[in-house]
PDB file of all heavy atoms in Angstrom:
ATOM      1  N   SER A   1      -1.628   6.770   2.311  1.00 82.00           N
ATOM      2  CA  SER A   1      -0.461   6.797   3.190  1.00 82.00           C
ATOM      3  C   SER A   1       0.815   6.526   2.397  1.00 82.00           C
ATOM      4  O   SER A   1       1.841   7.189   2.607  1.00 82.00           O
ATOM      5  CB  SER A   1      -0.622   5.764   4.306  1.00 82.00           C
ATOM      6  OG  SER A   1      -1.740   6.056   5.113  1.00 82.00           O
ATOM      7  N   LEU A   2       0.750   5.568   1.480  1.00 86.00           N
ATOM      8  CA  LEU A   2       1.922   5.276   0.646  1.00 86.00           C
ATOM      9  C   LEU A   2       2.245   6.446  -0.273  1.00 86.00           C
ATOM     10  O   LEU A   2       3.418   6.792  -0.478  1.00 86.00           O
ATOM     11  CB  LEU A   2       1.675   4.007  -0.176  1.00 86.00           C
ATOM     12  CG  LEU A   2       1.615   2.695   0.614  1.00 86.00           C
ATOM     13  CD1 LEU A   2       1.264   1.534  -0.310  1.00 86.00           C
ATOM     14  CD2 LEU A   2       2.950   2.434   1.307  1.00 86.00           C
ATOM     15  N   GLU A   3       1.208   7.082  -0.839  1.00 83.00           N
ATOM     16  CA  GLU A   3       1.435   8.227  -1.715  1.00 83.00           C
ATOM     17  C   GLU A   3       2.016   9.402  -0.944  1.00 83.00           C
ATOM     18  O   GLU A   3       2.839  10.153  -1.476  1.00 83.00           O
ATOM     19  CB  GLU A   3       0.126   8.633  -2.396  1.00 83.00           C
ATOM     20  CG  GLU A   3      -0.329   7.661  -3.464  1.00 83.00           C
ATOM     21  CD  GLU A   3      -1.653   8.053  -4.113  1.00 83.00           C
ATOM     22  OE1 GLU A   3      -2.408   8.832  -3.487  1.00 83.00           O
ATOM     23  OE2 GLU A   3      -1.928   7.581  -5.215  1.00 83.00           O
ATOM     24  N   LEU A   4       1.601   9.552   0.295  1.00 78.00           N
ATOM     25  CA  LEU A   4       2.118  10.640   1.118  1.00 78.00           C
ATOM     26  C   LEU A   4       3.604  10.458   1.385  1.00 78.00           C
ATOM     27  O   LEU A   4       4.366  11.421   1.416  1.00 78.00           O
ATOM     28  CB  LEU A   4       1.348  10.692   2.435  1.00 78.00           C
ATOM     29  CG  LEU A   4       1.629  11.889   3.349  1.00 78.00           C
ATOM     30  CD1 LEU A   4       1.270  13.192   2.639  1.00 78.00           C
ATOM     31  CD2 LEU A   4       0.841  11.775   4.637  1.00 78.00           C
ATOM     32  N   ARG A   5       4.024   9.199   1.539  1.00 79.00           N
ATOM     33  CA  ARG A   5       5.434   8.945   1.832  1.00 79.00           C
ATOM     34  C   ARG A   5       6.291   8.856   0.571  1.00 79.00           C
ATOM     35  O   ARG A   5       7.403   9.385   0.527  1.00 79.00           O
ATOM     36  CB  ARG A   5       5.577   7.648   2.633  1.00 79.00           C
ATOM     37  CG  ARG A   5       7.023   7.401   3.052  1.00 79.00           C
ATOM     38  CD  ARG A   5       7.205   6.144   3.854  1.00 79.00           C
ATOM     39  NE  ARG A   5       8.618   5.984   4.166  1.00 79.00           N
ATOM     40  CZ  ARG A   5       9.167   4.852   4.568  1.00 79.00           C
ATOM     41  NH1 ARG A   5       8.424   3.774   4.720  1.00 79.00           N
ATOM     42  NH2 ARG A   5      10.459   4.792   4.829  1.00 79.00           N
ATOM     43  N   PHE A   6       5.774   8.176  -0.477  1.00 82.00           N
ATOM     44  CA  PHE A   6       6.603   7.886  -1.641  1.00 82.00           C
ATOM     45  C   PHE A   6       6.233   8.686  -2.892  1.00 82.00           C
ATOM     46  O   PHE A   6       6.933   8.628  -3.897  1.00 82.00           O
ATOM     47  CB  PHE A   6       6.525   6.389  -1.985  1.00 82.00           C
ATOM     48  CG  PHE A   6       6.996   5.488  -0.880  1.00 82.00           C
ATOM     49  CD1 PHE A   6       6.092   4.713  -0.165  1.00 82.00           C
ATOM     50  CD2 PHE A   6       8.330   5.424  -0.536  1.00 82.00           C
ATOM     51  CE1 PHE A   6       6.516   3.877   0.855  1.00 82.00           C
ATOM     52  CE2 PHE A   6       8.772   4.587   0.486  1.00 82.00           C
ATOM     53  CZ  PHE A   6       7.862   3.815   1.180  1.00 82.00           C
ATOM     54  N   GLY A   7       5.132   9.435  -2.867  1.00 81.00           N
ATOM     55  CA  GLY A   7       4.677  10.121  -4.069  1.00 81.00           C
ATOM     56  C   GLY A   7       3.743   9.216  -4.866  1.00 81.00           C
ATOM     57  O   GLY A   7       3.233   8.204  -4.366  1.00 81.00           O
ATOM     58  N   SER A   8       3.500   9.550  -6.126  1.00 83.00           N
ATOM     59  CA  SER A   8       2.560   8.788  -6.952  1.00 83.00           C
ATOM     60  C   SER A   8       2.998   7.333  -7.083  1.00 83.00           C
ATOM     61  O   SER A   8       4.183   7.039  -7.253  1.00 83.00           O
ATOM     62  CB  SER A   8       2.452   9.423  -8.344  1.00 83.00           C
ATOM     63  OG  SER A   8       1.863  10.697  -8.260  1.00 83.00           O
ATOM     64  N   LEU A   9       2.020   6.431  -7.005  1.00 88.00           N
ATOM     65  CA  LEU A   9       2.288   5.003  -7.137  1.00 88.00           C
ATOM     66  C   LEU A   9       2.058   4.548  -8.565  1.00 88.00           C
ATOM     67  O   LEU A   9       1.225   5.108  -9.279  1.00 88.00           O
ATOM     68  CB  LEU A   9       1.372   4.210  -6.198  1.00 88.00           C
ATOM     69  CG  LEU A   9       1.454   4.547  -4.703  1.00 88.00           C
ATOM     70  CD1 LEU A   9       0.405   3.747  -3.939  1.00 88.00           C
ATOM     71  CD2 LEU A   9       2.839   4.280  -4.153  1.00 88.00           C
ATOM     72  N   ASP A  10       2.785   3.522  -8.978  1.00 89.00           N
ATOM     73  CA  ASP A  10       2.560   2.956 -10.305  1.00 89.00           C
ATOM     74  C   ASP A  10       1.263   2.155 -10.293  1.00 89.00           C
ATOM     75  O   ASP A  10       0.768   1.758  -9.234  1.00 89.00           O
ATOM     76  CB  ASP A  10       3.738   2.064 -10.711  1.00 89.00           C
ATOM     77  CG  ASP A  10       3.934   0.924  -9.734  1.00 89.00           C
ATOM     78  OD1 ASP A  10       4.648   1.125  -8.730  1.00 89.00           O
ATOM     79  OD2 ASP A  10       3.353  -0.153  -9.940  1.00 89.00           O
ATOM     80  N   GLN A  11       0.714   1.923 -11.470  1.00 90.00           N
ATOM     81  CA  GLN A  11      -0.597   1.278 -11.576  1.00 90.00           C
ATOM     82  C   GLN A  11      -0.593  -0.142 -11.021  1.00 90.00           C
ATOM     83  O   GLN A  11      -1.583  -0.591 -10.422  1.00 90.00           O
ATOM     84  CB  GLN A  11      -1.052   1.258 -13.040  1.00 90.00           C
ATOM     85  CG  GLN A  11      -2.495   0.792 -13.244  1.00 90.00           C
ATOM     86  CD  GLN A  11      -3.488   1.698 -12.525  1.00 90.00           C
ATOM     87  OE1 GLN A  11      -3.405   2.918 -12.644  1.00 90.00           O
ATOM     88  NE2 GLN A  11      -4.416   1.111 -11.788  1.00 90.00           N
ATOM     89  N   LEU A  12       0.515  -0.875 -11.175  1.00 90.00           N
ATOM     90  CA  LEU A  12       0.575  -2.242 -10.663  1.00 90.00           C
ATOM     91  C   LEU A  12       0.447  -2.267  -9.136  1.00 90.00           C
ATOM     92  O   LEU A  12      -0.235  -3.131  -8.577  1.00 90.00           O
ATOM     93  CB  LEU A  12       1.889  -2.914 -11.097  1.00 90.00           C
ATOM     94  CG  LEU A  12       2.003  -3.285 -12.581  1.00 90.00           C
ATOM     95  CD1 LEU A  12       3.383  -3.862 -12.866  1.00 90.00           C
ATOM     96  CD2 LEU A  12       0.908  -4.283 -12.972  1.00 90.00           C
ATOM     97  N   THR A  13       1.087  -1.308  -8.470  1.00 90.00           N
ATOM     98  CA  THR A  13       0.995  -1.244  -7.014  1.00 90.00           C
ATOM     99  C   THR A  13      -0.422  -0.883  -6.579  1.00 90.00           C
ATOM    100  O   THR A  13      -0.963  -1.454  -5.635  1.00 90.00           O
ATOM    101  CB  THR A  13       1.990  -0.216  -6.460  1.00 90.00           C
ATOM    102  OG1 THR A  13       3.319  -0.585  -6.852  1.00 90.00           O
ATOM    103  CG2 THR A  13       1.911  -0.138  -4.938  1.00 90.00           C
ATOM    104  N   ILE A  14      -1.042   0.076  -7.284  1.00 89.00           N
ATOM    105  CA  ILE A  14      -2.417   0.472  -6.968  1.00 89.00           C
ATOM    106  C   ILE A  14      -3.363  -0.712  -7.131  1.00 89.00           C
ATOM    107  O   ILE A  14      -4.220  -0.984  -6.279  1.00 89.00           O
ATOM    108  CB  ILE A  14      -2.847   1.642  -7.865  1.00 89.00           C
ATOM    109  CG1 ILE A  14      -2.046   2.900  -7.519  1.00 89.00           C
ATOM    110  CG2 ILE A  14      -4.349   1.916  -7.715  1.00 89.00           C
ATOM    111  CD1 ILE A  14      -2.291   4.063  -8.458  1.00 89.00           C
ATOM    112  N   ASP A  15      -3.204  -1.453  -8.231  1.00 89.00           N
ATOM    113  CA  ASP A  15      -4.062  -2.612  -8.472  1.00 89.00           C
ATOM    114  C   ASP A  15      -3.860  -3.683  -7.396  1.00 89.00           C
ATOM    115  O   ASP A  15      -4.814  -4.327  -6.954  1.00 89.00           O
ATOM    116  CB  ASP A  15      -3.770  -3.203  -9.853  1.00 89.00           C
ATOM    117  CG  ASP A  15      -4.243  -2.292 -10.984  1.00 89.00           C
ATOM    118  OD1 ASP A  15      -5.083  -1.400 -10.710  1.00 89.00           O
ATOM    119  OD2 ASP A  15      -3.780  -2.456 -12.121  1.00 89.00           O
ATOM    120  N   ALA A  16      -2.597  -3.865  -6.966  1.00 90.00           N
ATOM    121  CA  ALA A  16      -2.306  -4.869  -5.941  1.00 90.00           C
ATOM    122  C   ALA A  16      -2.961  -4.496  -4.613  1.00 90.00           C
ATOM    123  O   ALA A  16      -3.452  -5.365  -3.887  1.00 90.00           O
ATOM    124  CB  ALA A  16      -0.797  -5.014  -5.769  1.00 90.00           C
ATOM    125  N   ILE A  17      -2.989  -3.210  -4.290  1.00 89.00           N
ATOM    126  CA  ILE A  17      -3.665  -2.745  -3.061  1.00 89.00           C
ATOM    127  C   ILE A  17      -5.149  -3.059  -3.120  1.00 89.00           C
ATOM    128  O   ILE A  17      -5.762  -3.488  -2.152  1.00 89.00           O
ATOM    129  CB  ILE A  17      -3.439  -1.236  -2.859  1.00 89.00           C
ATOM    130  CG1 ILE A  17      -1.973  -0.952  -2.543  1.00 89.00           C
ATOM    131  CG2 ILE A  17      -4.334  -0.691  -1.745  1.00 89.00           C
ATOM    132  CD1 ILE A  17      -1.623   0.520  -2.518  1.00 89.00           C
ATOM    133  N   HIS A  18      -5.741  -2.872  -4.293  1.00 87.00           N
ATOM    134  CA  HIS A  18      -7.190  -3.035  -4.438  1.00 87.00           C
ATOM    135  C   HIS A  18      -7.652  -4.494  -4.381  1.00 87.00           C
ATOM    136  O   HIS A  18      -8.837  -4.750  -4.211  1.00 87.00           O
ATOM    137  CB  HIS A  18      -7.654  -2.383  -5.743  1.00 87.00           C
ATOM    138  CG  HIS A  18      -7.563  -0.887  -5.712  1.00 87.00           C
ATOM    139  ND1 HIS A  18      -7.627  -0.099  -6.836  1.00 87.00           N
ATOM    140  CD2 HIS A  18      -7.404  -0.034  -4.680  1.00 87.00           C
ATOM    141  CE1 HIS A  18      -7.512   1.166  -6.500  1.00 87.00           C
ATOM    142  NE2 HIS A  18      -7.375   1.231  -5.194  1.00 87.00           N
ATOM    143  N   VAL A  19      -6.718  -5.438  -4.549  1.00 88.00           N
ATOM    144  CA  VAL A  19      -7.106  -6.851  -4.461  1.00 88.00           C
ATOM    145  C   VAL A  19      -6.426  -7.546  -3.281  1.00 88.00           C
ATOM    146  O   VAL A  19      -6.555  -8.751  -3.115  1.00 88.00           O
ATOM    147  CB  VAL A  19      -6.785  -7.602  -5.772  1.00 88.00           C
ATOM    148  CG1 VAL A  19      -7.589  -7.030  -6.923  1.00 88.00           C
ATOM    149  CG2 VAL A  19      -5.292  -7.569  -6.087  1.00 88.00           C
ATOM    150  N   ALA A  20      -5.708  -6.789  -2.456  1.00 86.00           N
ATOM    151  CA  ALA A  20      -5.015  -7.385  -1.316  1.00 86.00           C
ATOM    152  C   ALA A  20      -6.003  -7.839  -0.249  1.00 86.00           C
ATOM    153  O   ALA A  20      -7.087  -7.275  -0.088  1.00 86.00           O
ATOM    154  CB  ALA A  20      -4.033  -6.375  -0.715  1.00 86.00           C
ATOM    155  N   SER A  21      -5.631  -8.858   0.485  1.00 83.00           N
ATOM    156  CA  SER A  21      -6.479  -9.354   1.566  1.00 83.00           C
ATOM    157  C   SER A  21      -6.459  -8.376   2.740  1.00 83.00           C
ATOM    158  O   SER A  21      -5.560  -7.533   2.859  1.00 83.00           O
ATOM    159  CB  SER A  21      -5.990 -10.729   2.036  1.00 83.00           C
ATOM    160  OG  SER A  21      -4.736 -10.591   2.680  1.00 83.00           O
ATOM    161  N   ASP A  22      -7.440  -8.506   3.614  1.00 76.00           N
ATOM    162  CA  ASP A  22      -7.507  -7.639   4.788  1.00 76.00           C
ATOM    163  C   ASP A  22      -6.263  -7.801   5.660  1.00 76.00           C
ATOM    164  O   ASP A  22      -5.714  -6.826   6.176  1.00 76.00           O
ATOM    165  CB  ASP A  22      -8.754  -7.959   5.613  1.00 76.00           C
ATOM    166  CG  ASP A  22     -10.045  -7.628   4.871  1.00 76.00           C
ATOM    167  OD1 ASP A  22      -9.968  -6.846   3.900  1.00 76.00           O
ATOM    168  OD2 ASP A  22     -11.101  -8.148   5.257  1.00 76.00           O
ATOM    169  N   ASP A  23      -5.797  -9.051   5.840  1.00 75.00           N
ATOM    170  CA  ASP A  23      -4.628  -9.300   6.680  1.00 75.00           C
ATOM    171  C   ASP A  23      -3.395  -8.596   6.121  1.00 75.00           C
ATOM    172  O   ASP A  23      -2.575  -8.053   6.869  1.00 75.00           O
ATOM    173  CB  ASP A  23      -4.356 -10.800   6.787  1.00 75.00           C
ATOM    174  CG  ASP A  23      -5.403 -11.513   7.635  1.00 75.00           C
ATOM    175  OD1 ASP A  23      -6.104 -10.819   8.399  1.00 75.00           O
ATOM    176  OD2 ASP A  23      -5.520 -12.742   7.524  1.00 75.00           O
ATOM    177  N   THR A  24      -3.256  -8.611   4.798  1.00 83.00           N
ATOM    178  CA  THR A  24      -2.107  -7.960   4.170  1.00 83.00           C
ATOM    179  C   THR A  24      -2.177  -6.456   4.358  1.00 83.00           C
ATOM    180  O   THR A  24      -1.170  -5.796   4.659  1.00 83.00           O
ATOM    181  CB  THR A  24      -2.058  -8.302   2.668  1.00 83.00           C
ATOM    182  OG1 THR A  24      -1.863  -9.709   2.519  1.00 83.00           O
ATOM    183  CG2 THR A  24      -0.919  -7.568   1.984  1.00 83.00           C
ATOM    184  N   LEU A  25      -3.368  -5.886   4.203  1.00 81.00           N
ATOM    185  CA  LEU A  25      -3.525  -4.435   4.376  1.00 81.00           C
ATOM    186  C   LEU A  25      -3.187  -4.014   5.798  1.00 81.00           C
ATOM    187  O   LEU A  25      -2.528  -2.992   6.019  1.00 81.00           O
ATOM    188  CB  LEU A  25      -4.953  -4.021   4.018  1.00 81.00           C
ATOM    189  CG  LEU A  25      -5.343  -4.159   2.543  1.00 81.00           C
ATOM    190  CD1 LEU A  25      -6.832  -3.852   2.366  1.00 81.00           C
ATOM    191  CD2 LEU A  25      -4.508  -3.235   1.663  1.00 81.00           C
ATOM    192  N   VAL A  26      -3.643  -4.799   6.763  1.00 74.00           N
ATOM    193  CA  VAL A  26      -3.340  -4.487   8.163  1.00 74.00           C
ATOM    194  C   VAL A  26      -1.842  -4.542   8.401  1.00 74.00           C
ATOM    195  O   VAL A  26      -1.258  -3.664   9.049  1.00 74.00           O
ATOM    196  CB  VAL A  26      -4.075  -5.459   9.108  1.00 74.00           C
ATOM    197  CG1 VAL A  26      -3.573  -5.294  10.539  1.00 74.00           C
ATOM    198  CG2 VAL A  26      -5.572  -5.216   9.048  1.00 74.00           C
ATOM    199  N   ALA A  27      -1.181  -5.582   7.868  1.00 77.00           N
ATOM    200  CA  ALA A  27       0.261  -5.721   8.049  1.00 77.00           C
ATOM    201  C   ALA A  27       1.005  -4.533   7.452  1.00 77.00           C
ATOM    202  O   ALA A  27       1.971  -4.031   8.026  1.00 77.00           O
ATOM    203  CB  ALA A  27       0.742  -7.024   7.406  1.00 77.00           C
ATOM    204  N   ILE A  28       0.531  -4.051   6.304  1.00 82.00           N
ATOM    205  CA  ILE A  28       1.190  -2.924   5.644  1.00 82.00           C
ATOM    206  C   ILE A  28       1.013  -1.646   6.447  1.00 82.00           C
ATOM    207  O   ILE A  28       1.946  -0.846   6.572  1.00 82.00           O
ATOM    208  CB  ILE A  28       0.646  -2.759   4.210  1.00 82.00           C
ATOM    209  CG1 ILE A  28       1.150  -3.915   3.337  1.00 82.00           C
ATOM    210  CG2 ILE A  28       1.085  -1.423   3.600  1.00 82.00           C
ATOM    211  CD1 ILE A  28       0.571  -3.912   1.934  1.00 82.00           C
ATOM    212  N   THR A  29      -0.179  -1.440   7.020  1.00 75.00           N
ATOM    213  CA  THR A  29      -0.387  -0.214   7.801  1.00 75.00           C
ATOM    214  C   THR A  29       0.559  -0.143   8.989  1.00 75.00           C
ATOM    215  O   THR A  29       0.949   0.945   9.408  1.00 75.00           O
ATOM    216  CB  THR A  29      -1.837  -0.122   8.318  1.00 75.00           C
ATOM    217  OG1 THR A  29      -2.115  -1.223   9.192  1.00 75.00           O
ATOM    218  CG2 THR A  29      -2.830  -0.109   7.176  1.00 75.00           C
ATOM    219  N   LEU A  30       0.967  -1.296   9.504  1.00 69.00           N
ATOM    220  CA  LEU A  30       1.838  -1.313  10.679  1.00 69.00           C
ATOM    221  C   LEU A  30       3.300  -1.075  10.324  1.00 69.00           C
ATOM    222  O   LEU A  30       4.126  -0.878  11.220  1.00 69.00           O
ATOM    223  CB  LEU A  30       1.691  -2.657  11.407  1.00 69.00           C
ATOM    224  CG  LEU A  30       0.289  -2.971  11.938  1.00 69.00           C
ATOM    225  CD1 LEU A  30       0.252  -4.340  12.590  1.00 69.00           C
ATOM    226  CD2 LEU A  30      -0.161  -1.904  12.922  1.00 69.00           C
ATOM    227  N   GLN A  31       3.647  -1.086   9.023  1.00 74.00           N
ATOM    228  CA  GLN A  31       5.040  -0.897   8.656  1.00 74.00           C
ATOM    229  C   GLN A  31       5.221   0.174   7.587  1.00 74.00           C
ATOM    230  O   GLN A  31       6.310   0.318   7.018  1.00 74.00           O
ATOM    231  CB  GLN A  31       5.642  -2.211   8.163  1.00 74.00           C
ATOM    232  CG  GLN A  31       4.886  -2.854   7.009  1.00 74.00           C
ATOM    233  CD  GLN A  31       5.507  -4.172   6.570  1.00 74.00           C
ATOM    234  OE1 GLN A  31       6.675  -4.220   6.235  1.00 74.00           O
ATOM    235  NE2 GLN A  31       4.720  -5.231   6.583  1.00 74.00           N
ATOM    236  N   ILE A  32       4.165   0.975   7.338  1.00 75.00           N
ATOM    237  CA  ILE A  32       4.270   2.018   6.314  1.00 75.00           C
ATOM    238  C   ILE A  32       5.401   2.997   6.639  1.00 75.00           C
ATOM    239  O   ILE A  32       6.102   3.468   5.751  1.00 75.00           O
ATOM    240  CB  ILE A  32       2.927   2.767   6.185  1.00 75.00           C
ATOM    241  CG1 ILE A  32       1.932   1.915   5.398  1.00 75.00           C
ATOM    242  CG2 ILE A  32       3.107   4.111   5.482  1.00 75.00           C
ATOM    243  CD1 ILE A  32       0.560   2.533   5.243  1.00 75.00           C
ATOM    244  N   ALA A  33       5.592   3.294   7.915  1.00 69.00           N
ATOM    245  CA  ALA A  33       6.586   4.310   8.289  1.00 69.00           C
ATOM    246  C   ALA A  33       8.014   3.809   8.201  1.00 69.00           C
ATOM    247  O   ALA A  33       8.950   4.607   8.177  1.00 69.00           O
ATOM    248  CB  ALA A  33       6.299   4.806   9.704  1.00 69.00           C
ATOM    249  N   THR A  34       8.221   2.474   8.133  1.00 71.00           N
ATOM    250  CA  THR A  34       9.584   1.945   8.203  1.00 71.00           C
ATOM    251  C   THR A  34       9.996   1.164   6.956  1.00 71.00           C
ATOM    252  O   THR A  34      11.178   1.147   6.611  1.00 71.00           O
ATOM    253  CB  THR A  34       9.728   1.042   9.433  1.00 71.00           C
ATOM    254  OG1 THR A  34       8.740  -0.011   9.373  1.00 71.00           O
ATOM    255  CG2 THR A  34       9.515   1.836  10.707  1.00 71.00           C
TER     256      THR A  34
END
């Protein structure tokens, strides 16, 4: 979803997504569009 909106992500952002908590991921999905 982030790549669709912003294009390719840097490696640090990708790594942060892969170790993020479930609560953080849910919070991000609710604000990806804004």
